[in-house]
Amino acid sequence: MSIKSFQPPQRILMGPGPSDVSARVLAAMARPTIGHLDPAFVSMMDEMKILLKYAFKTDNELTMPVSAPGSAGMETCFVNLVEPGNKVIVCQNGVFGGRMKENVERCGGTAVMVQDDWGRAVDPQKLEDALKANPDARIVAFVHAETSTGAISDARTLVEIAHKHNCLAIVDAVTSLGGSPLKVDEWKIDAIYSGTQKCLSSTPGLSPVTFSENAMEKIKNRKTKVQSWFMDLNLVMGYWGGATKRAYHHTAPINALYGLHEALVILQEEGIESSWARHHKNHLALRAGLEAMGLTFIVPEKERLPQLNAIGIPEGVDEAAVRNILLNDYQLEIGAGLGAMAGKVWRIGLMGHASNQRNILLCLTALDDALGRVKAPIKRGVAIDAANKLFTA
Ligand SMILES: *Cc1c(COP(=O)(O)O)cnc(C)c1O
């Protein structure tokens, strides 16, 4: 055997996640591993909770990172809140709403699906109608930022409708946290999960979550045990909870948590509102460049997610060939379509640390070159000027 150390290539990540991780975060992760009950580590955990509350804009006591990726944050919300026999209204407008249905059913619940077109926001009226038709529903679930299509939904309104009908609201904020306005307390969201590898720009593998008091109440009053031992919040809180002495539940991913801590410190330095504004501004610049070339967005303007730009593939273009040119000649990764969107769109991410002027100019230059080489019907040589107008404005 003579296998050598793994040396990944240096890429620029402009897909649907993971996004570029800054040198500061990587350096933090290389610091010495200490015990998960070491007093120094426990104080870092306390800071982590404060930083996450800041990012989520909440005072919820139960705010912490689940020790697994965004999908596990999703599962944590569902296994704790859905009891066998519960009816859950799931709004679906892309891939991730479909996963919510899977979760509900695996918890023994019934999912009532409210379908919207892929590439559109969730329609509040359809949710209202579904709740009227299903007065026994107790939970509403939806995706705030659909990464599969690049559409953002009006979370505040959807939660308001859920509450009007005595339902708790579970929200997927994997791609919105840090990139789009999100106010957990003001919008009264009951349970919400995110990920570290999208707009927080830390490494994949952790899922920040936060639960309201109403959600906690439902979890405490469950008639059945949570089906997952690992994700049972009653047990996890023995380690992450503040009031009691911390006890071993599982070995926390120590160094990954250093990375998230650093990423959240960076977010705090920038300011959450400034981060939202930066994501929006950079989206406008990328958009100007793409549209100047003649490329088009699949999501109507008002429903577009700034950090995930889904654009149609020009007639006759081999979409994989273009992505290969970007990856091989520019070290630049953009995303392919997912699910029903496979082969129909490219997904250009402008998430977290990767959302900056250099990346936008590089991406436009690379697309101009690659699309030229595959003889796509686009306007060449105009994208950079169009984007730069927005940076110098
Ligand atoms: C990425 C993503 C997830 C899943 O997160 P993983 O970290 O890949 O498990 C869930 N929901 C949305 C909206 C996402 O973008």
Side-chain angles (χ1 to χ4, degrees), residues 20 41 123 125 233 268 296 303 337:
D20 285 344
F41 190 74
D123 180 355
Q125 188 59 49
L233 286 170
Q268 169 213 247
T296 51
E303 299 167 14

Side-chain angles (χ1 to χ4, degrees), residues 240-306:
W240 272 101
T244 50
K245 199 173 161 342
R246 281 161 212 265
Y248 170 66
H249 174 262
H250 63 278
T251 311
I254 308 291
N255 293 56
L257 288 166
Y258 299 164
L260 176 57
H261 183 278
E262 189 69 15
L264 290 167
V265 167
I266 293 170
L267 180 69
Q268 169 213 247
E269 286 169 4
E270 179 177 19
I272 183 89
E273 281 86 3
S274 307
S275 178
W276 298 340
R278 171 170 56 86
H279 282 85
H280 183 66
K281 183 181 173 200
N282 287 337
H283 156 73
L284 293 180
L286 177 71
R287 167 191 151 183
L290 293 171
E291 290 185 339
M293 293 168 97
L295 295 168
T296 51
F297 281 75
I298 62 156
V299 176
E301 190 172 344
K302 285 207 170 69
E303 299 167 14
R304 273 179 212 159
L305 191 54

Side-chain angles (χ1 to χ4, degrees), residues 3 35 49 75 92 115 135 139 152 172 206 236 329 362 378:
I3 296 174
K49 287 200 266 186
E75 198 141 344
Q92 181 176 16
Q115 299 286 352
I139 296 172
I152 187 157
D172 178 321
L206 292 170
V236 174
D329 296 354
L362 176 72
I378 57 145

Side-chain angles (χ1 to χ4, degrees), residues 16 69-72 74 96 99 143 145-148 172-175 193 195 197-198 204-206:
S71 307
M74 175 186 279
F96 292 100
R99 292 190 178 181
V143 179
E146 233 326 326
T147 323
S148 62
D172 178 321
V174 176
T175 287
Y193 56 92
Q197 78 276 28
K198 313 241 172 157
L206 292 170

Side-chain angles (χ1 to χ4, degrees), residues 348-379:
I348 304 177
L350 282 174
M351 298 183 182
H353 187 64
S355 179
N356 61 56
Q357 182 179 10
R358 182 203 67 168
N359 283 0
I360 290 165
L361 298 180
L362 176 72
C363 181
L364 291 170
T365 303
L367 274 175
D368 186 285
D369 175 29
L371 288 168
R373 280 201 243 168
V374 301
K375 307 205 168 17
I378 57 145
K379 237 174 147 177

